Amino acid sequence: MNVILNKLHGHIVSIPSFLSINLPLNLRYFSKSSLNGSKINFDFSKALVLNKITRYEFEKKRYLNIAEEKLKLKLQERGSNYDRLIEHHNIHYRSLERILNAFKEKGIETRVTQRYNYSYDDINWANCIFSAGGDGTFLLASAKIKSNDKPVIGINTDITSSEGHLLLPKEQSVNFSQTLAKLLNGKFSWLYRARIRIYLEGENVDEQPIELHDQVLKNLEHRYIEHMEENRQTKLKREAKNSKNSESKLFRIPTLALNEVFIGEALSARVSYYLMSIDDGPLFRQKSSGIIICTGTGSTSWCYNINKMSAQSVKRIINLV
C-alpha cells in the first residue's frame, strides 16, 4: 500500500510537503509460540542486548544534579511512588543480570546498549538483537533493523508490570537460561511481521529528526514557545531556499515502524489540513486531528483503542437496526 500526503498549511515542523508510506520487507521475529518448531540452525555467537531505560533512570535524567531526597519529593509532588519506581528498577536489573549470565555461560559474545547509544554499528556487529524490557523496547529495537535476516527477540524483564505482547511468554522470560538453550538447539520457528517505510519530499526533509523521548527531557514547561521558535526558523530557511530556487528533495526515513505511523500537528490542539492519495488514486481533501497508519501488529494497539466501540455503543446500533 502506498499513501501520499500533501500538507496544505499548518505548523508541523517535521512534516514537509509530501509524505509517502509503503510496506517493506518483513521483520524476522521470535515470539510466544515459537519454541516447538522444527530444528533451525542459526548463528547466535554475537548478541546485542538493547536495555530499556527504567522510569527511575528517566526521572534521574529529567532532574539532573539534584539529591536523591529532593528527587523523591519532586516525584511525590507529581503523585508518583518513588519506592515503587526503585522496586521496578531493581527488578529489571536483576533480570538483566540473569540474561547476561545466561549468555556468558553459553560462551556468547554480548554487547549491551541503551536507547541513546543504539547504533547501526552495534546492529551490524551482532548476529541477533535481544530487547530487554517491555514492548516499547522491542519496538525501538525493531525500528533500526533494515532487513529480515537479523532477528529480534524480546525478553520481558518485569513480568509484574509489563504484559509483553511482542515478547517471550513470561515463563520463558523468567527462565531465560532454559529458553536460550532451546534457541541454541534450534528448537524454535520464525515469525515475520510487516513494517512501514516512510519517504519525505519537500523542504527540510534531511534535517535531524527530533526524538520525543529527548524532547521531554530538554523542554518541560516551554513546549509551545519551543514550537513557535521552530516554526520561525523553518520559515526563515524556506525563504532563504526559495530565493535560491532550490529543488525539492526525496528522503527516506532510516527507521521503520512496526506498530504504526502517526501524522499530525506538533501542537496536538491544532487541526491538520491535507490532501491524501492512496495507491496512486486521486487526491482528496481531508481535515482531522491526525492520521494513523498501522500494520497488522499495530492493529491491536493504539489504532484498536481509537476505533473500538463500547458495549453501550454496540447496543445502541443494534437498537437502531
Side-chain angles (χ1 to χ4, degrees):
M1 179 184 75
N2 288 302
V3 178
I4 306 294
L5 293 180
N6 181 4
K7 183 163 171 39
L8 299 179
H9 59 81
H11 299 271
I12 299 182
V13 174
S14 58
I15 301 297
S17 299
F18 293 93
L19 183 147
S20 174
I21 296 175
N22 59 39
L23 298 179
L25 290 172
N26 294 338
L27 172 75
R28 184 179 286 190
Y29 168 80
F30 180 83
S31 78
K32 296 182 176 181
S33 59
S34 300
L35 288 178
N36 298 315
S38 57
K39 184 176 176 64
I40 294 177
N41 292 318
F42 186 83
D43 183 7
F44 287 101
S45 60
K46 294 181 179 180
L48 176 65
V49 179
L50 178 61
N51 178 33
K52 72 171 284 185
I53 295 177
T54 66
R55 171 74 186 284
Y56 171 73
E57 289 175 312
F58 177 78
E59 296 296 348
K60 288 286 285 185
K61 286 181 178 292
R62 196 175 191 182
Y63 299 106
L64 289 172
N65 303 321
I66 69 171
E68 200 70 15
E69 282 301 317
K70 287 187 177 181
L71 174 63
K72 185 175 182 178
L73 290 174
K74 282 263 186 192
L75 293 173
Q76 288 174 346
E77 289 171 1
R78 288 168 39 203
S80 297
N81 189 323
Y82 172 85
D83 294 330
R84 186 169 174 80
L85 294 188
I86 293 292
E87 177 188 355
H88 287 288
H89 173 83
N90 291 334
I91 289 173
H92 166 74
Y93 274 96
R94 283 195 294 267
S95 297
L96 179 65
E97 185 178 7
R98 288 197 299 269
I99 292 166
L100 297 180
N101 286 338
F103 284 130
K104 185 177 180 180
E105 289 172 2
K106 298 297 182 181
I108 297 173
E109 189 177 354
T110 308
R111 288 185 186 177
V112 181
T113 188
Q114 279 191 319
R115 168 187 291 270
Y116 302 109
N117 302 313
Y118 185 41
S119 67
Y120 289 110
D121 288 339
D122 285 333
I123 292 171
N124 293 333
W125 167 85
N127 301 118
C128 53
I129 314 298
F130 288 82
S131 70
D135 283 335
T137 310
F138 184 91
L139 292 172
L140 175 64
S142 71
K144 290 188 176 182
I145 307 300
K146 295 182 177 179
S147 65
N148 63 357
D149 60 357
K150 191 154 297 192
V152 180
I153 303 167
I155 308 168
N156 192 339
T157 55
D158 188 355
I159 63 172
T160 63
S161 64
S162 174
E163 188 61 35
H165 295 285
L166 299 173
L167 313 177
L168 292 169
K170 293 181 178 181
E171 181 182 351
Q172 293 170 3
S173 292
V174 172
N175 301 308
F176 181 70
S177 59
Q178 298 177 16
T179 304
L180 182 59
K182 291 182 179 181
L183 278 174
L184 297 177
N185 289 328
K187 296 180 180 179
F188 64 92
S189 59
W190 296 120
L191 292 180
Y192 294 86
R193 292 182 180 265
R195 293 174 293 167
I196 298 174
R197 175 187 294 139
I198 305 172
Y199 291 88
L200 304 178
E201 183 178 359
E203 300 171 0
N204 309 311
V205 294
D206 53 357
E207 290 186 356
Q208 187 69 21
I210 298 172
E211 178 75 50
L212 292 181
H213 196 277
D214 298 336
Q215 198 175 38
V216 172
L217 292 174
K218 293 177 182 177
N219 301 284
L220 301 180
E221 290 86 20
H222 305 288
R223 299 294 294 276
Y224 181 79
I225 296 173
E226 168 200 353
H227 289 306
M228 292 297 290
E229 176 61 20
E230 287 176 351
N231 292 332
R232 189 181 73 83
Q233 292 295 333
T234 300
K235 184 178 179 181
L236 292 174
K237 290 178 182 179
R238 183 185 299 119
E239 291 173 351
K241 287 184 178 180
N242 288 342
S243 64
K244 297 178 182 179
N245 298 319
S246 58
E247 296 183 356
S248 178
K249 297 179 181 178
L250 181 65
F251 175 71
R252 172 183 162 185
I253 293 181
T255 55
L256 301 172
L258 178 57
N259 260 10
E260 68 273 306
V261 172
F262 171 72
I263 305 159
E265 296 289 339
L267 294 173
S268 58
R270 296 186 183 274
V271 176
S272 296
Y273 301 86
Y274 48 88
L275 294 173
M276 187 171 184
S277 171
I278 300 175
D279 290 336
D280 299 322
L283 288 167
F284 54 93
R285 188 181 299 267
Q286 286 286 298
K287 171 185 174 182
S288 72
S289 57
I291 302 171
I292 290 180
I293 301 170
C294 75
T295 63
T297 303
S299 64
T300 59
S301 184
W302 189 10
C303 186
Y304 168 77
N305 284 285
I306 290 174
N307 294 289
K308 74 177 180 180
M309 300 181 67
S310 65
Q312 289 179 335
S313 298
V314 174
K315 186 177 180 180
R316 290 195 195 100
I317 293 172
I318 292 174
N319 290 336
L320 289 173
V321 173

